[in-house]
């Protein structure tokens, strides 16, 4: 029998331990509960035990759950985002973690104008250059962010996001996270308008400890909170 409160307890202790071990304050690290495929009653349960932010990768699923739960929790779009799905989530999300192309920036700008809002976004970076992965290559991130900063005033870029390669050695995972942190520091120095490099969204159930050691401010955790996902429901 899965117990969300015990799982959360354990993860929070882990986060505290790792943060302490590398001289960071655990309060600077947001535990984002990844709730894709998880029923809303379990999302509610996690909220009862202190989860303030949840991440979904499918816009329609986010939108459906939002109708039931609303603003009692903050919603994050963490998965790749099709341009024609932006309209479902634009007025519901705290943060989009997956801005990875100009056509998407353009659509976010357009929809944000319609709602008269500003939308916070992280730029997703494909550090490891796996073909299967979404995200911008590290060397193209600066010019992408410059362009967004100049052209899309309804987008506030607040940091970077990446996913480590699956089944990689720990040292490879670490170097991916380290590269993202370095890139973030470099871009921060440019002091671009409407850009504030404060968030690093990196680390999942398997590798959040390494991510925290390398500077993560948001860890995205699903399986360790809610158990193994069942995609067939
Ligand atoms: C599913 C997912 C996660 C969570 O993965 P777990 O291994 O279940 O913790 C994190 N980030 C993204 C982008 C995801 O799609």
């Amino acid at each position: 029998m899965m117990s969300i409160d015990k799982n959360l307890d354990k993860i929070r202790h882990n986060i505290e331990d790792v943060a302490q071990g590398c001289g960071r304050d655990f309060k600077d690290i947001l535990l984002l509960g990844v709730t894709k495929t998880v029923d809303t009653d379990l999302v509610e349960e996690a909220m009862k035990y202190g989860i303030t932010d949840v991440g979904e990768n499918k816009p329609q699923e986010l939108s459906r759950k939002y109708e039931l739960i609303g603003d009692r929790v903050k919603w994050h779009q963490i998965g790749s985002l099709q341009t024609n799905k932006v309209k479902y989530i634009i007025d519901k999300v705290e943060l989009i973690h997956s801005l990875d192309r100009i056509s998407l920036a353009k659509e976010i700008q357009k929809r944000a104008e319609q709602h008269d809002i500003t939308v916070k976004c992280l730029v997703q970076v494909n550090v490891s250059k796996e073909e299967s992965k979404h995200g911008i290559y590290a060397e193209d991130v600066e010019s992408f962010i410059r362009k967004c900063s100049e052209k899309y005033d309804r987008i506030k870029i607040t940091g970077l996001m990446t996913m480590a390669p699956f089944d990689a050695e720990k040292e490879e995972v670490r170097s991916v996270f380290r590269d993202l942190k370095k890139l973030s520091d470099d871009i921060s120095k440019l002091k671009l308008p409407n850009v504030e490099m404060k968030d690093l969204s990196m680390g999942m159930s398997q590798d959040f400890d390494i991510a925290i050691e390398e500077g993560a401010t948001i860890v995205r955790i699903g399986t360790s909170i809610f158990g193994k996902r069942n995609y067939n429901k």
Side-chain angles (χ1 to χ4, degrees):
M1 174 63 199
M2 180 192 43
S3 140
I4 288 178
D5 59 331
K6 289 210 181 72
N7 290 349
L8 279 171
D9 247 15
K10 196 172 151 200
I11 294 158
R12 289 201 179 98
H13 277 118
N14 274 338
I15 291 176
E16 271 191 65
D17 283 349
V18 177
Q20 200 168 40
C22 61
R24 297 187 58 197
D25 187 340
F26 75 93
K27 293 195 198 79
D28 295 337
I29 299 152
L30 174 68
L31 171 56
L32 178 65
V34 175
T35 49
K36 61 190 185 199
T37 78
V38 174
D39 288 338
T40 48
D41 54 338
L42 294 182
V43 180
E44 295 269 5
E45 173 123 352
M47 289 159 58
K48 194 168 106 192
Y49 295 110
I51 283 288
T52 57
D53 292 69
V54 296
E56 291 283 341
N57 68 340
K58 294 212 173 77
Q60 284 107 323
E61 189 176 342
L62 190 156
S63 180
R64 179 175 61 77
K65 290 175 179 172
Y66 182 89
E67 294 309 322
L68 297 165
I69 297 176
D71 286 326
R72 289 182 291 123
V73 76
K74 290 179 184 157
W75 298 89
H76 296 238
Q77 170 66 36
I78 58 170
S80 71
L81 180 54
Q82 282 176 269
T83 307
N84 63 359
K85 303 280 166 62
V86 171
K87 58 177 180 282
Y88 296 118
I89 59 148
I90 190 77
D91 56 339
K92 304 180 178 70
V93 286
E94 167 72 13
L95 184 63
I96 295 172
H97 292 230
S98 45
L99 176 57
D100 63 356
R101 58 197 192 279
I102 288 297
S103 58
L104 181 58
K106 217 171 176 172
E107 176 69 11
I108 292 171
Q109 170 77 18
K110 178 178 131 191
R111 298 290 176 182
E113 278 173 5
Q114 287 171 355
H115 289 272
D116 195 20
I117 55 174
T118 301
V119 179
K120 288 191 281 178
C121 295
L122 306 179
V123 173
Q124 182 167 352
V125 186
N126 186 352
V127 177
S128 52
K129 295 193 171 163
E130 287 168 283
E131 272 182 33
S132 60
K133 279 223 164 70
H134 292 273
I136 298 173
Y137 287 169
E139 60 269 31
D140 301 326
V141 169
E142 183 185 322
S143 68
F144 178 79
I145 291 181
R146 279 186 189 278
K147 199 161 181 185
C148 290
S149 166
E150 280 161 23
K151 288 185 69 174
Y152 304 114
D153 62 346
R154 296 293 177 137
I155 294 177
K156 166 107 185 146
I157 292 177
T158 62
L160 306 177
M161 178 272 208
T162 200
M163 293 175 78
F166 297 111
D167 297 324
E169 298 289 333
K170 271 184 182 275
E171 283 319 302
E172 193 186 341
V173 171
R174 185 178 298 283
S175 87
V176 165
F177 293 155
R178 191 166 287 178
D179 287 354
L180 195 74
K181 167 73 173 154
K182 168 85 169 57
L183 185 58
S184 169
D185 290 344
D186 289 347
I187 289 168
S188 187
K189 285 179 197 137
L190 305 173
K191 304 217 182 304
L192 301 170
N194 232 4
V195 175
E196 187 187 2
M197 286 287 135
K198 64 187 178 66
D199 281 322
L200 277 180
S201 170
M202 56 189 197
M204 319 197 330
S205 293
Q206 290 306 317
D207 51 23
F208 71 87
D209 50 339
I210 302 174
I212 289 169
E213 286 168 358
E214 298 302 329
T217 66
I218 304 175
V219 290
R220 309 178 308 265
I221 299 193
T223 310
S224 297
I225 300 175
F226 298 104
K228 216 167 172 303
R229 277 180 290 279
N230 178 2
Y231 286 102
N232 308 318
K233 283 187 301 194

